[in-house]
Amino acid sequence: MSLYNRLVMQSSLIKKYIMALTGIVLVGFVFVHMAGNLQVLLGQEAINAYAHALQNLPAPILWGSRLFLLVCVVAHAVTAYQLIKENRAARPQSNEVEITKRAGWSSLRMGLTGSLMLAFIVFHLLHFTIRTIYPEYNDLKTTVGSPDGSEIHDVYSMILAGFRIDAISVFYVFCMFLLCRHLAHGVSSMFQSLGLRSESWRCKLDFAASAYGWIIFIGFSIIPVLVLAQKYGLVNCLDTCGSSCSVNL
Amino acid sequence: MKLFLKVWKQDGPQTEGRFESHVLDGVSEDSSFLEMLDQLNEQLLEEGKEPVAFDHDCREGICGTCSLNINGFAHGPENSTTTCQLHMRKFEDGDTITIEPFRAKAFPVIRDLVVDRSAFDKIIQAGGYITVRTGSAPDGNALPVPKEDADLAMDAAQCIGCGACVASCKNASAMLFTSAKAGHLNMLPQGQAEKDSRVLNMVAAMDEAGFGNCRNYGECSAACPKDISLDYIAKLNRDYAKAKIKKVFS
Ligand code: HEM
Ligand code: FES
């Protein structure tokens, strides 16, 4: 920690570089994660095979990537709270009349959307990765999607089981909306923080950031939304895979 | 015009401030905002009260001495205008106007609406200069400067150091000021020799003074009476990264 203080916390600009660099990693990660998830739409076999392949990556690659992501999230959050603390201290007496000319909703609430996402990340890991919230998800096994016919974890059934609970789906969609807002400022701001933005590019990057946020929102939300819609008989597009699924909608 | 004024009063840096309300009648639409305050002070003196302290000097928008947060806007609601150049015709008869000092930890209130902006001087002292051999003036055009660079440097040099960027920033960040002052010299051939130490030292002085961090809101540029662009902040971010990397590997 003291090394981190010496290297990073000493300069306002280095703190901003850390926000932007860890931000880029997380922005890339959420896209890959979303694209991976969309395989749910292809059915049980596709997503199970994908999840199995990921979990059976060579240990150094699997744990190396997990550690790298963890370090990025922690550095991003720790630096964010340090920045927020300093920013509050920089204006001890607030203005009687507070006017905002240009800053948008998202940029003013990065701390709020970020903090709620931090809570979401912890919940999400306990829910689907470590599976302590519903330990019975560990018992969902199938041979569908298995490369060699042995029993593997049935990720597809777990997703159906997870999202058929209304409150969980609503919570996930809400958190993806927060992520969308965080990205609407963040993805353009990170270019400015690294000195890679100009006024002529600002509008285009702001537009791209907003579009990126909505793509991420729709890409992640479509799965809980479809699960609920199918549960209530509004659509019939998700593979319910007859007897091979442990969960019915 | 008849105006209802809500003006910040504060006896000194250590004391608590408060708002005082005044009614001012007979204000000419053609007077400037500072002339309106002069009129208020005359009225207060006639009533045997303390006048309101506020900063001003050139009154023609070039010195950067005037300040004031007017109805929440640094230098008032008009774009590209300093308080001294703001006219009362921009307000309506019967308006209530709230007048506050530029608020930031790095700008302590000296009295009422006057704040101490010497933190900006410290940033300039840290690197907002070039070192030259004095003596006879160099020949004209001895040092060619590309027109584009000269224009960009001039745009940055327009900064009058008023502090509106700090006052309007939600985080009281001084990045627009610092980046304009560093960028102005970094874009000219005369500024090259000290470019790296300039950005490192000026940013260090800025952090030291207790300004907040930039979050790329853009409020500073929107409030700037000289319309300094966010490009200079991007350039400072770029120049600082380069200087820091060079320093680490040298
Ligand atoms: C773990 C919880 C998180 C917290 C507490 C958090 C907080 C913040 C805060 C406060 C800022 C603004 C920093 C500033 O300029 O003052 C920020 C910027 C940013 N965040 Fe997050 N965030 C979190 C997670 C994420 C995630 C998951 C992503 C991407 C998927 C992300 C992407 C970004 C980006 C790209 C920026 C812009 C960086 C810049 O302005 O240079 N953040 N974050
Ligand atoms: S008094 Fe000089 S700029 Fe306003």
Side-chain angles (χ1 to χ4, degrees), chain B residues 41-67:
Chain B
N41 278 346
E42 276 167 29
Q43 177 179 312
L44 289 173
L45 285 170
E46 274 167 24
E47 291 168 1
K49 293 190 192 142
E50 278 278 308
V52 179
F54 62 92
D55 256 332
H56 59 105
D57 190 14
C58 71
R59 297 207 177 194
E60 55 183 12
I62 53 165
C63 73
T65 308
C66 58
S67 57

Side-chain angles (χ1 to χ4, degrees), chain A residues 218-234:
Chain A
I218 293 168
F220 275 120
S221 301
I222 194 160
I223 295 162
V225 166
L226 282 181
V227 170
L228 279 194
Q230 189 144 332
K231 176 182 155 191
Y232 289 113
L234 299 173

Side-chain angles (χ1 to χ4, degrees), chain A residues 16 19-20 23 26-27 30 73 76-77 80-81 83-84 87 110-111 114-115 117-118 121 179 182-183 186-187 189-190 193, chain B residues 214-216:
Chain A
K16 289 295 310 207
M19 291 310 289
L26 297 173
V27 165
V30 289
V73 170
H76 190 85
Y81 290 124
L83 287 169
I84 291 171
N87 294 344
M110 294 300 275
S115 301
M117 267 191 316
L118 190 59
I121 293 171
L179 177 58
H182 200 77
L183 293 172
V187 168
S189 174
M190 67 192 189
S193 298
Chain B
C214 177
R215 194 186 273 173
N216 308 325

